[in-house]
Amino acid sequence: MAKSAFLKSSIAKKYWMALTGLFLCLFLVGHLLGNLQLLMGNNTEAALQFNKYALFMTTNPAVKLLSYLTYISIIFHAVDGIYLAIQNKKARPVAYAMSNPSKNSSFSSRNMAVLGTVVLIFIATHMVNFWYKMKFTDQIPLQTISVDNGMGGKQEFIITADYGQSKFMPKEQLDGKNLVQVGNKIYITKPIKVEFAEGYKDLHKVTYEFFKSKAKLFNVIPNEGLVFTLFYVLSMAFLGFHLWHGFQSAFQSLGINGKFTPAIKVFGKAFSVIVPILFAIIPIYIHFISK
Amino acid sequence: MSAKKNININLKIWRQKNASTKGKMETYKLDNVSTDSSFLEMLDQLNEQLINNQQEPVAFDHDCREGICGMCSLYINGRAHGPDTGTTTCQLHMRKFKDGETIFIEPWRSKAFPVVKDLMVDRSAFDRIQQAGGFVSVNTSGRTIDANATPIRKEDADKAFMAAACIGCGACVATCKNGSAMLFVGAKVSQYALLPQGKVEATERVLNMVRQMDEEGFGNCTNTGACEVECPKGISLENIARMNREYLKASVL
Amino acid sequence: MALDSKIPQGHISEKWTNHKNNLKLVAPNNRPKIDVIVVGTGLAGASAAASLGEMGYNVKAFCFQDSPRRAHSIAAQGGINAAKNYQNDGDSTYRLFYDTIKGGDYRAREANVHRLAEVSSNIIDQCVAQGVPFARDYGGLLDNRSFGGTQVQRTFYAAGQTGQQLLLGAYSALSRQIGLGNVKMYNRHEMLDIVKVDGKARGIIARNLITGELERHSAHAVIIASGGYGNVYFLSTNAMGSNVTASWKVHKKGAHFANPCFVQIHPTCIPVHGTNQAKLTLMSESLRNSGRIWVPAKKEDAEAIRAGKLKPTQIAEEDRDYFLERKYPAFGNLVPRDVASRAAKDVCDAGHGIEANDTNEGVYLDFASEIITKGKQAAFTQGDHNPSDAKIQELGKKWVESKYGNLFTMYEKITDENPYETPMKIYPAVHYTMGGVWVDYNLMSSIPGCFVAGEANFSDHGANRLGASALMQGLADGYFVLPYTVSNYLADEIRTGKISTDTPEFVEAENAVRQSIEQLINNKGTKSVDYFHKKLGLIMWNKVGMARNEKGLTEAIEEIGQLREDFYADVRVPGAANELNQELEKALRVADFIELGQLMAKDALLRKESCGGHFREEYQDAEGETLRDDENFAYVAAWEYNGSDASKSVLHKEELKYEFIKIAARNYK
């Protein structure tokens, strides 16, 4: 019975929560390091660096493998968590008339399911707004650069990885007929479809526009960029509370509780404060500070 | 010593005739309770009053009244064994309460601990977990090796003792928001895991005890740590971690 | 009926071995056909049930608690004796045997006590093998400490929770057998009668405490291991549920009850605080290893303390009377319990008591000098040869905490005083009953097939039990005696076959129980059960307590007889018979306590000597020590039931012959 129970037993569920949770913590670090590049400002070089990084992250096979692991972890962590929450609810069919849990446990530890659900909702919207657009649509334009045409006007050039000698390609050439964009690549359609050049999806611009948008959300709420910024900051607060308990809890679940525990706890608390704050700084910076 | 004085209190107590009927909270007033009384002596006083008024006394579990048998329970003012930490209900004293205070008294709430009557619950789930593996399989011949033949590190012996100090009262389950019994099971698994005598059957023990625990309908541990805070014997969360380790070893290796 | 103790022939050190070799056996294939009932799951009951289950008998175990793990053995704090001589201080089986006989003031059976000493070592081996976490030293070997009445260190312990650890060990063995299906456990069941068929014990009537149903259970042998009867005093260190009912029912059906007046009053308990008190709390005897007992030497100081005008710490060293050290220099604070209790009573009677309650009864147990001694030692070990007072205090308190921490915490919780800073207040309280159902060497009562083990029997402790010996006896009986002697009895039962519970004997017994329950329920009196129990307790404590005299005992017999009548006339038991009814449970127990209390007074009245826990004021020497009368009272008083008026019970005597120990005055000076 031993091996089969390993997937079903209460303790096994703890392991899986812990392992997936800790893996997601690692993901958070990676994701954060990449995103912090957004703080380099709203200029072509900064944007290019960020967009190149984004391209790498969506195409590198090793990163791909990691990203699949991340998706699985999120799904498993969420499903297992919800399942546990339901089971745990059932373990106490009659509630106490009077309960005073703040005397014996932290707010975070008692509300992991709620906090996790909010984080999950955040992840869903976040992915719809960026990840989905980036991966599955051509809604994200390629990054361009505006160059003085010597006649007092400006011309838009798409920045490409290799375009003859130049790194630029005039934007008007990408007419959607002879030259078309598929993903981040530009193809010549006639006489046969041939790869012509590779650009960079301008995720940087999309991100900046997202948080700076003055449009009305759902045609009602003005200044949707501010709403998005606040939503992101709030979500990061929820993430912080989730991590506050989750990080050190994972070690306990994996059976690590001993002389390193105080250090793990301190590190976990630092992690749960610093990581979400750094994440939250990005929309704040974009919305309020950047040009 | 606190000055001797008497207080008047209001009590809100769960009354339930038996396992198959529904219960509800009832209100009682009790005057002249000595602050030197233990909490259970206060309930004795209430019962004396109820009997004298031709009412039915409140059923509650209690036996040794010195904090070791684990029979007493009670969720008092929203906490297992009341407001004091490291204390069983029988060692809680009325000096911890104020004159005029309203005190809520409820039974342990857990699917695995059904209410038997009023404030009494059935904790035989714990016995069944113990029967599933909480022992060393040695016959009582008295012809085992000499007690000092196997030295045991003092640190291990002390830790095993601290785990074995569990009184099986069920406060961990009662206080856990998930109704989890892992502190109880972890303590038992740990006691044996720390001693050479227990290592031989360590694999079967942890697998069987955890299986039984799950079958009894206890919730899952989410490491809130409430059990450790409310445990009258100060059983450490380390014991749950050790059980997790033992389970991992037993399952994977 | 003549009392045959069935003590085997031969030299004391060979009796048990020879006896075992000659006992009959039951072959393994026959054992599952034989049923054994065990009532009580303390050390004796749990270990007996586990051992017999392990052998293959079909065992049914009963306890009134919600789990076998809660039996009151769990509350034993200090330790368990065994003649291991690990400390190399001259201990031996003989010395443990001798100390126990002497400690019991020469009123115990030699052969039983020697057997107990012989198997004591096996108990420790067995418990360690079961994973009982005894205290160990830094070398990883077992640690020992001293207990009262001995001059060696032979007490094994697990902090202040030795009884708990041993009981959980026995409970784990029992749980294993339950899991294997060899033992069927009946929690929350109370035995209310024994059923005899053709003179033999053949089963019990038990009440399911949840449903109130009466159940018939049959067996080829019944083992009673239901503990002692200290709760006859209402206030005692026993658990609230501890009761004499199982023992009393077998007594009523023909088992003799021996030495009921031998009760141990433990010297170190927390004094009574008020009238609503339901329970007294023991502070382990082990504290007397480190604490010094004293009262103010001047009466006016004691008065000032009681009035709250003086604190104990303000009494100068020369104004303190360390009365145990003064009276008994050889054993000092570690004299046996009966001696220490009486000494405390004497100083309080003389007006030196320090507790501000109705009786002014209380003495100090002071750790101040031990804190200084151990603090200095600890400082020296750390290389500090000139430690400051503060450092000494700090280290000393730490040492005390490591040794007795849980007891100190318990004391503070109950009294709201910090015993590290101010001495503990203590006073004697009823703790253990040496008397019990009379049994022969095989632990069988005068009912064939009914065995009695642990505190419930009378056999090993004479008139006073030494500390750390109760645990030893419980486990010895259950693990190492009953499996042999019960098998010997059952060897003649292999052809009996299943015993029916439909026989007239079972029907009759069940009806009688039902009737007694209905009588209580339908009584509809005006007073609660506790009212009568408290009244009984007061009579017992005042007249059959630490010091007894002819006048008081005669009055007690009279008053208890009257109380019995009042009880049946006016007790009120609310609720119904067919439901969980804690008042009914109490009423049934108190009914038996009342009868027992009267027998205790009668037994005490007839024993015109002082010995061990039985102190008759008429029989004391010039210094107030017990004066034994070996010529006329070196016997076990075994009482035969003769109706609910216990004063009419019939006395049988079992002469105590001391062949291997020279009987002498008990001297701890």
Side-chain angles (χ1 to χ4, degrees), chain B residues 48 63 66 87 127 140 146, chain C residues 54 86 171 240 279 413:
Chain B
E48 189 78 20
D63 200 22
E66 47 188 279
T87 307
D127 285 332
T140 51
D146 184 86
Chain C
E54 213 171 83
Y86 283 158
Y171 165 71
M240 300 302 286
K279 152 87 191 177
K413 286 218 153 91

Side-chain angles (χ1 to χ4, degrees), chain A residues 10 15 88 92 97 249 255, chain B residues 106 109 214 220 222-223 244-245:
Chain A
S10 51
Y15 294 147
N88 292 345
R92 175 158 302 136
S249 172
Chain B
E106 297 174 75
R109 295 290 189 199
D214 289 350
N220 301 280
T222 57
N223 305 328
N244 294 345
R245 261 194 326 267

Side-chain angles (χ1 to χ4, degrees), chain A residues 28-172:
Chain A
L28 281 180
V29 174
H31 193 44
L32 176 65
L33 290 177
N35 284 11
L36 283 175
Q37 298 174 84
L38 287 166
L39 296 179
M40 295 195 312
N42 197 3
N43 56 65
T44 309
E45 294 78 40
L48 185 59
Q49 184 184 329
F50 181 77
N51 290 337
K52 278 183 172 171
Y53 159 78
L55 180 64
F56 171 80
M57 293 305 282
T58 45
T59 49
N60 182 283
V63 176
K64 265 195 169 161
L65 186 71
L66 281 177
S67 63
Y68 288 131
L69 264 177
T70 308
Y71 307 145
I72 292 168
S73 292
I74 292 172
I75 292 166
F76 198 96
H77 197 80
V79 171
D80 201 29
I82 292 165
Y83 182 68
L84 282 171
I86 293 169
Q87 248 190 349
N88 292 345
K89 199 94 195 145
K90 281 190 192 154
R92 175 158 302 136
V94 183
Y96 288 109
M98 168 76 150
S99 195
N100 207 347
S102 60
K103 298 278 184 193
N104 56 39
S105 52
S106 69
F107 168 84
S108 299
S109 71
R110 294 194 307 275
N111 293 288
M112 288 302 276
V114 173
L115 294 167
T117 307
V118 173
V119 172
L120 185 67
I121 293 169
F122 165 74
I123 291 172
T125 61
H126 180 57
M127 285 176 84
V128 167
N129 286 326
F130 298 105
W131 172 85
Y132 176 75
K133 279 188 195 165
M134 182 79 180
K135 289 205 73 140
F136 299 106
T137 72
D138 291 335
Q139 287 177 22
I140 299 186
L142 297 178
Q143 189 184 352
T144 59
I145 185 167
S146 211
V147 177
D148 210 329
N149 62 5
M151 294 177 287
K154 300 240 181 195
Q155 191 178 357
E156 289 278 311
F157 289 90
I158 292 169
I159 303 170
T160 64
D162 49 350
Y163 176 57
Q165 299 298 312
S166 171
K167 292 275 186 196
F168 305 115
M169 176 192 132
K171 197 186 173 191
E172 61 267 24

Side-chain angles (χ1 to χ4, degrees), chain C residues 44 77 93 98 101 107 140 157 205 288 322 331 457 459 462 489 514 550 573 604 608 647 651 665:
Chain C
Q77 297 170 349
T93 299
Y98 177 82
I101 289 280
R107 288 293 174 267
Y157 67 98
I205 304 296
R288 287 199 272 144
Y322 294 93
F331 283 71
N457 75 27
S459 74
Y489 173 81
R514 193 179 310 281
E550 186 167 346
V573 181
K608 294 181 174 166
S647 66
L651 175 66

